Amino acid sequence: DMCVKWAGKMLNIHHSFLPSFAGAKPYQQAYDRGVKLIGATCHYVTEELDEGPIIEQEVMRISHSDDVNDMMRKGKRCEVMALASGIRYHLEQRVVICEHKTVVFD
């Protein structure tokens, strides 16, 4: 009920490993697989967990010298940046939801 009532008004943030590394310890899973890019996604909340229309995404390159803690620190920075931009775009009314996508105006 809450998702329906607040549709297009609630934002969520998560690491961009979904759906590849869902579940427990996604950064450890990503490290174990040797990923080269990490990031975060800011999206509107829907009844389906982490499936809402995407507003903003941030990515950051990592290297073989980064350990899991480095990846988590860089991932959190991506989350902060994506969420801050997503909130700003939403508050400035620059986002239009079109079916399962968004249009974000410059």
Side-chain angles (χ1 to χ4, degrees):
D1 291 337
M2 186 161 90
C3 289
V4 172
K5 180 179 178 181
W6 289 88
K9 297 176 184 168
M10 284 194 303
L11 283 63
N12 186 25
I13 185 78
H14 60 76
H15 59 79
S16 286
F17 295 141
L18 296 172
S20 299
F21 304 117
K25 300 184 180 180
Y27 285 96
Q28 183 66 54
Q29 294 178 56
Y31 176 80
D32 292 344
R33 289 287 307 276
V35 300
K36 306 300 183 223
L37 293 173
I38 60 172
T41 298
C42 177
H43 63 90
Y44 285 110
V45 173
T46 61
E47 293 180 46
E48 297 82 29
L49 182 63
D50 294 329
E51 296 290 329
I54 295 170
I55 302 166
E56 179 67 305
Q57 293 178 296
E58 290 286 336
V59 295
M60 187 176 291
R61 182 162 292 280
I62 57 169
S63 76
H64 64 279
S65 64
D66 289 314
D67 63 19
V68 174
N69 290 326
D70 295 327
M71 292 173 64
M72 290 174 66
R73 181 178 43 79
K74 291 178 178 183
K76 294 297 179 191
R77 180 179 169 97
C78 288
E79 289 180 19
V80 167
M81 294 170 59
L83 182 59
S85 294
I87 290 170
R88 185 175 74 247
Y89 300 156
H90 176 82
L91 291 175
E92 292 173 350
Q93 299 180 344
R94 295 170 44 191
V95 184
V96 176
I97 300 172
C98 297
E99 297 181 17
H100 301 291
K101 298 181 181 181
T102 62
V103 175
V104 180
F105 293 97
D106 292 330

